[in-house]
Amino acid sequence: MSQLFVGRLPRDTQSSELERIFEKYGKMSRCDVKRGVNSCYGFVEFAETNDAEDAIKQCNGMTVQGERIVVEMATGSAKRRNDSSCFRCGTEGKYLCEMLLDFEDLC
């Protein structure tokens, strides 16, 4: 499996919109949109590496709702929806700490 990071998404992007963009490149096992304090980004996971590579070639720099998005291979391991740890520092129970204004002080 190959996971992509999709950055610079418009703030109101929904997972269903991200899925519509990427579904033509192959079978997806994950398609999530995340929101930070000042950002919106997503993760798309393909069953086949060549499908992920095709999606990068075709979608990196694509305009979505007037914003040029960034699509690249994700670094690090995939976090699942049932993971209750902070995505940045890994501390258990801080799943939503990226939404807090003093995020830098928490991690």
Side-chain angles (χ1 to χ4, degrees):
M1 288 200 214
S2 294
Q3 181 175 230
L4 303 181
F5 169 79
V6 184
R8 297 184 187 159
L9 290 171
R11 295 270 311 146
D12 60 347
T13 302
Q14 300 296 314
S15 292
S16 59
E17 183 175 3
L18 202 59
E19 187 172 335
R20 276 192 304 277
I21 292 168
F22 288 95
E23 67 187 354
K24 62 181 138 194
Y25 300 103
K27 183 177 180 196
M28 294 181 292
S29 57
R30 177 182 182 203
C31 185
D32 294 326
V33 171
K34 307 290 184 183
R35 287 173 183 75
V37 175
N38 294 313
S39 63
C40 184
Y41 55 94
F43 294 98
V44 178
E45 189 171 74
F46 285 96
E48 301 293 330
T49 301
N50 62 326
D51 294 338
E53 291 168 348
D54 290 344
I56 291 170
K57 288 176 191 169
Q58 297 299 315
C59 298
N60 187 37
M62 170 188 282
T63 301
V64 175
Q65 298 177 28
E67 300 287 335
R68 285 182 57 109
I69 65 171
V70 173
V71 182
E72 57 191 30
M73 286 291 185
T75 58
S77 61
K79 297 240 180 201
R80 300 295 177 190
R81 291 177 196 244
N82 63 353
D83 187 349
S84 63
S85 62
C86 173
F87 80 94
R88 184 171 180 207
C89 71
T91 302
E92 186 71 25
K94 288 174 50 179
Y95 180 71
L96 295 177
C97 74
E98 74 268 19
M99 302 302 282
L100 300 173
L101 294 175
D102 295 328
F103 176 70
E104 293 294 327
D105 296 333
L106 294 173
C107 293

